[in-house]
Amino acid sequence: MHISFLATLGYLLSVTSAQSIFTPARPPSLPLAVKSPYLSTWFPAGSDGGNGGYLPGQWPRFYTGQVLGWTGLVRVDNETFTWMGAPKGIPLANQKSYEYTSSKSIFTIEANKKVSLKVTFLSPLTPKDLKRQSLTFSYMNVEVLSLDGAEHSVQIYTDISAEWVSGDVDVTAQWDFGLMNDVVYHKLSRQNQQKFSEFNDRAEWGNFYYATTAQNGVTYQSGADDDVRGAFVTDGKLPSSNDTNFRAINDRWPVFGYGISLGSVGASPVSTLFSLGLCQDEAIQFLGADGLAILPSLWKSYFADDLAALTFFHKDYPESSKLSSDLDDRISKDSIAAAGQDYAILTTLAARQAFAATQLVGTGDKHYLFLKEISSNGNTQTVDVIYPASPIFFYTNPDLIKLLLDPHFENQESGHYPNKWATHDLGKHYPNATGHPTGDDEPMPLEECSNNIIMVLAYVQRSGDTDYIKQHYTILRQWAEYLVEDSLFPAEQLSTDDFAGHLANQTNLALKGIIAIEAMSQLSSLINKASNAQNYTKIAHDYITKWQTLGLNTADDPPHAVLNYGNTSTWGLLYNLYNDKLLNTNLVPQSVYNIQSGFYPTVKENYGVPLDTRNRYYTKSDWELFCAAIASEKTRDMFINDLARWVNETPTSRPFTDLYQTSDGSFPPGLEFKARPAVGGLFSLLLLEQGKSGRL
Ligand SMILES: *[C@@H]1O[C@H](CO)[C@@H](O)[C@H](O)[C@H]1NC(C)=O
Ligand SMILES: *[C@@H]1O[C@H](CO)[C@@H](O)[C@H](O)[C@H]1NC(C)=O
Ligand SMILES: *[C@@H]1O[C@H](CO)[C@@H](O)[C@H](O)[C@H]1NC(C)=O
Ligand SMILES: *[C@@H]1O[C@H](CO)[C@@H](O)[C@H](O)[C@H]1NC(C)=O
Ligand SMILES: *[C@@H]1O[C@H](CO)[C@@H](O)[C@H](O)[C@H]1NC(C)=O
Ligand SMILES: *[C@@H]1O[C@H](CO)[C@@H](O)[C@H](O)[C@H]1NC(C)=O
């Protein structure tokens, strides 16, 4: 359904370059194996570091830009061509098209005008199926057929290099090869395991696997890159031998290859499936109710060991692919219905990236979803990153929000955080959620207290789980009290946009706090605390009346909200207004929405509306889409069309940034945000539409 739909409509809207067609758009970086903070492999496309998006001729990279050797070759009637990567001296096959869905990247590549390959990278998305979602593996399916009516003798080759096991190419890798349950696998790891440690954002512990189905025609080899690839070019197969000389990643670059004979290939397609991923028994260090604990990966609760998980995953392709396609179709159809094809360009690109910043950990009884604040600073479980990402989680499975908030409640309710406001994060660096027992986190008191209260109400509205309020009422009230003190006249502090600096009396931040006070009233109501409910709603209504006088400049033509009170010429994206619609708090009059809808088009630049008057040159795409979701149709479409155009045209080549210059679409100097889960916020409009259709 989805494919045929894209084939008819999508192609009309696609971007055509010299050779390849990109559908529905040409992303800055194409997702290949994108499943968790440590399995995040991309293909740079944008002109600033990428090759336009052609799989043959350039190496895949980790989101940081570090090369991950991953090769694809095809041998047709004794002649060999490269379809992925940049191995030396092997001519390139010709890419015809690239298409992405929420879970898949699909390349069509021709070799010598004789055969066509359809290479599908599937990073499964199963938000309601935690067993499958917990597995940090990804698929690559290679389908080959003859193009010219003749039969051709075809062998395919693929390898990964030892670069996958560490961010430091000087360290020693070790490896093994095996067979289990009709699946053959290369296993590779860093020899000196460094549990819970990173090097350049890469995991320095765990085992990587590269597997395929054990069948006739499969050969394998480990060894130096040129030797292994050379053997395939010469013979069309590998000697099925092991290099037992464990050595540094950069010492005659060991690679782990398969050569697979497909025999004689005609018009009916022949396919081969590969599975690739990372197994870590222990995933997170967490300071929770029981003190400091080590949390296993959640898949450990379903599978005895790495190989049980790997072989299940490999054989699960039909079911996993179906579940992912169902979600692909839903996201695509809902997005097009909500705001058209340009909106689907955004949501579809954001889905994998948002989920891939997360990891399911713990046990069947007690599990959590942990999130890495990728690229901005690596913090664990940052509240003001969970919050912008939350629309995709609410839309796909609201229980995931509970799994993200639970560790926060557990840590702060067991006395591990001394401040009266909510903490910013649970650890300075992923995968350590060791908290801030001395209260030394980056302080964003108003921001985080509000975010927590807003997300709890949005969760309860969708789940009906009022027990959740009862369990956490004491600390929710503690945070609400802080909001009562600080929301109307916010002290000089940071908002989530910390790169923009401290400021007192921020109009947008005050609005978030005031809506959160009203949300606290509703939470109180839901558990029959009527007098608290009345008190909070009275305060919120009083504040919002005053806020309209303090925060709006209605004398200007056109009128607009100001960035900070009394600073009449300033303005900014009033994205926290979204919460009033999300929660149905109906606190803010329609006139405020109308004012902002009328204003944004008057300050827009080439690729969008700048974040605020402090920094006219950049904006945040998540916040633009929060504003779009509650704007008039015309203003909404302006935001969406500009951002979709940015996706096609940006020179950036790192995974979908949420921070870019509105003039030329590049990164702001020194601020290279990439692969962040905040792009989950692009689901803002889908979430509101879901609310309207009663599908909560
Ligand atoms: C491929 O090479 C083999 C062995 O050298 C040879 O027998 C065969 O005829 C060649 N096939 C083609 C299509 O050139
Ligand atoms: C996590 O904490 C451990 C000590 O328990 C430390 O060795 C490791 O480097 C930390 N990881 C990161 C990414 O900071
Ligand atoms: C390669 O290593 C694997 C695992 O140790 C072993 O099963 C296999 O027989 C070895 N292959 C050769 C050709 O020695
Ligand atoms: C915030 O605004 C109010 C009202 O304009 C003003 O009295 C107060 O001094 C401002 N606060 C700060 C910290 O500037
Ligand atoms: C209402 O809330 C304020 C501020 O949190 C508090 O000081 C006051 O005691 C509350 N009143 C009642 C009746 O609960
Ligand atoms: C008004 O805003 C501008 C920039 O947005 C800032 O530089 C200036 O300090 C602000 N003035 C006051 C009084 O807050």
Side-chain angles (χ1 to χ4, degrees), residues 15 62 106 116 118 171 206-207 212 274 297 336 429 503 673:
V15 185
F62 197 66
I106 305 160
S116 176
K118 185 172 137 191
V171 305
N207 301 314
T212 190
F274 301 90
S297 295
I336 290 166
H429 214 288
L503 189 63
F673 282 19

Side-chain angles (χ1 to χ4, degrees), residues 112-189:
N112 215 12
K113 300 202 164 85
K114 288 180 170 178
V115 300
S116 176
L117 287 83
K118 185 172 137 191
V119 186
T120 303
F121 295 86
L122 166 62
S123 298
L125 278 180
T126 60
K128 289 194 169 153
D129 180 337
L130 300 193
K131 172 180 169 180
R132 288 188 167 84
Q133 187 63 30
S134 72
L135 291 164
T136 46
F137 291 110
S138 196
Y139 298 105
M140 179 177 76
N141 189 59
V142 184
E143 188 181 280
V144 188
L145 54 77
S146 169
L147 268 181
D148 60 4
E151 301 255 323
H152 298 285
S153 164
V154 177
Q155 299 89 39
I156 58 166
Y157 170 92
T158 180
D159 69 46
I160 61 169
S161 72
E163 284 160 305
W164 288 70
V165 306
S166 170
D168 179 358
V169 293
D170 289 326
V171 305
T172 302
Q174 63 179 23
W175 51 85
D176 195 7
F177 180 83
L179 163 69
M180 169 90 175
N181 262 336
D182 302 322
V183 175
V184 285
Y185 60 88
H186 286 288
K187 171 183 179 180
L188 41 152
S189 58

Side-chain angles (χ1 to χ4, degrees), residues 88-117:
K88 284 183 290 259
I90 305 175
L92 304 183
N94 184 17
Q95 181 172 315
K96 303 302 283 186
S97 68
Y98 168 78
E99 179 194 349
Y100 68 86
T101 67
S102 289
S103 63
K104 302 185 197 79
S105 274
I106 305 160
F107 296 84
T108 303
I109 298 169
E110 290 181 6
N112 215 12
K113 300 202 164 85
K114 288 180 170 178
V115 300
S116 176
L117 287 83

Side-chain angles (χ1 to χ4, degrees), residues 481 484 535 539:
E481 291 304 310
V484 169
N535 196 6
I539 294 167

